[in-house]
Amino acid sequence: MHFRWLAIVAASGLWVGCGGEADKALNGYKKASLSSKADVEQWAATSSAPNVYVAANQVALLLGLTGIGSGTQDTSCPAQKKDGTTTTFTGGCTDENGDEWFGSMERKLEKEGSENATLTYKDFGFHQTTSCSGKSGKTKILFAGTASVKGADTKQEFDLDIRMDVSGLDEDSCVERTDSGAWSYQGTYEGSSELTGRRTWNGSGRIGTSELGVVEVETKAEVVDPSECGDEALSGTTTIKSDGHTAVITYDGATDCDESSTVKSSLDGGASVELEGVSCTSATGPAISAWGLGLLGALGLMRRRARR
């Protein structure tokens, strides 16, 4: 796997931005390869609006701040300080799992009691001691940038400007590796206010990793309803573009709900082919916590935290 798992946390847009943490990183990445079925498969499971939303909120997910699932984090570390509608999380401590936190994150609510908020990451994250074939090392994950959600209960808008840096022992080679991923993305989700309800997702932006490169993506009318199909989206499309190539992913769970999470895809206007493993990863589904925790599978980081 090496660090190719970071493809899971990439998302794209239809423009080249400037100035934000994500754009600074993405502008330095190469154009991703998108010329083969294997390339399409690599990006298909990572580029839809709900995938992007969950992936860019991994640390907030652990702290229980996204409404996606319950947090597993020690409430005393990182330290929390509330001032009106603003809560600041500060590192410089070791939590009950033995993980060392650093940097800071600020959560500013739109108003008291609201779920609408802006999260600002200032090199915020944690590291822990890991081992690989008897070799010991530090695995580190760091976030910088902002993520915000606003709107009514039935329709919310989100804006992501997030860079993630990761370092640690590669689980296959046991060699120290470093990589980064970034999301510059805007989108909406509307429908049920319940986590297990029906929602429709739209969004576009740029995503990428320092190893795989950057792609542009756009999701249109992706409908997710775990009560109807818990393995894949019911309908809608995601378009992925890079270096003159265009792939279109079509979700078909409404007519072909398959445990292997199948979708239809086409590359550069060619014949439609079926891909497997493009799971239903909406933030409305009960399996989202498990999916989010699996994002860092190459390092085993999130899985180890989840088992504690």
Side-chain angles (χ1 to χ4, degrees):
M1 290 177 64
H2 300 292
F3 268 38
R4 296 187 182 279
W5 58 270
L6 267 172
I8 298 178
V9 296
S12 111
L14 304 180
W15 66 91
V16 175
C18 59
E21 291 289 346
D23 287 323
K24 290 177 184 177
L26 292 166
N27 290 344
Y29 296 165
K30 65 184 179 182
K31 293 180 180 179
S33 176
L34 196 65
S35 60
S36 68
K37 179 184 176 182
D39 292 333
V40 176
E41 288 177 325
Q42 192 162 49
W43 289 102
T46 72
S47 301
S48 72
N51 283 346
V52 172
Y53 180 81
V54 174
N57 281 290
Q58 293 170 66
V59 168
L61 172 66
L62 284 177
L63 296 175
L65 301 179
T66 61
I68 297 172
S70 58
T72 61
Q73 178 60 35
D74 177 1
T75 57
S76 65
C77 179
Q80 301 180 26
K81 182 179 180 181
K82 192 173 187 301
D83 182 7
T85 58
T86 300
T87 301
T88 302
F89 299 79
T90 305
C93 58
T94 301
D95 68 19
E96 61 187 12
N97 293 322
D99 298 333
E100 301 172 51
W101 288 78
F102 49 84
S104 65
M105 179 184 74
E106 179 184 276
R107 184 197 193 200
K108 184 174 180 58
L109 299 177
E110 185 175 84
K111 60 182 179 180
E112 195 65 46
S114 173
E115 291 296 322
N116 295 340
T118 296
L119 301 177
T120 302
Y121 300 93
K122 297 181 179 179
D123 292 339
F124 182 67
F126 59 89
H127 59 79
Q128 63 181 209
T129 300
T130 56
S131 61
C132 181
S133 297
K135 182 178 180 180
S136 180
K138 289 281 189 180
T139 294
K140 179 178 181 179
I141 176 172
L142 174 154
F143 280 79
T146 60
S148 64
V149 175
K150 63 181 180 180
D153 288 342
T154 56
K155 183 175 182 179
Q156 293 191 302
E157 303 173 17
F158 61 94
D159 191 323
L160 305 172
D161 169 28
I162 298 292
R163 187 195 82 242
M164 181 179 72
D165 297 329
V166 177
S167 63
L169 297 177
D170 184 285
E171 68 172 5
D172 293 330
S173 66
C174 298
V175 173
E176 183 78 20
R177 299 291 297 272
T178 62
D179 208 342
S180 69
W183 305 260
S184 177
Y185 194 95
Q186 294 77 41
T188 64
Y189 58 88
E190 56 185 306
S192 174
S193 60
E194 299 296 326
L195 293 178
T196 55
R198 185 185 186 96
R199 286 185 180 175
T200 300
W201 294 77
N202 291 275
S204 63
R206 294 190 300 156
I207 64 172
T209 78
S210 57
E211 180 177 350
L212 296 179
V214 59
V215 295
E216 299 177 353
V217 297
E218 182 175 20
T219 292
K220 292 184 177 180
E222 180 179 354
V223 179
V224 180
D225 187 348
S227 67
E228 187 171 338
C229 181
D231 298 301
E232 55 185 272
L234 300 180
S235 58
T237 62
T238 291
T239 300
I240 309 167
K241 296 182 178 182
S242 181
D243 201 22
H245 296 284
T246 299
V248 178
I249 309 301
T250 301
Y251 308 109
D252 59 359
T255 57
D256 182 23
C257 183
D258 196 311
E259 289 184 357
S260 57
S261 303
T262 58
V263 298
K264 300 295 185 182
S265 74
S266 64
L267 178 61
D268 295 333
S272 177
V273 298
E274 187 173 79
L275 302 180
E276 293 185 352
V278 185
S279 59
C280 176
T281 54
S282 163
T284 61
I288 283 309
S289 291
W291 180 85
L293 293 174
L295 287 173
L296 300 183
L299 296 177
L301 180 58
M302 295 296 196
R303 289 195 181 102
R304 282 193 292 273
R305 290 183 56 83
R307 287 197 296 264
R308 292 175 177 176

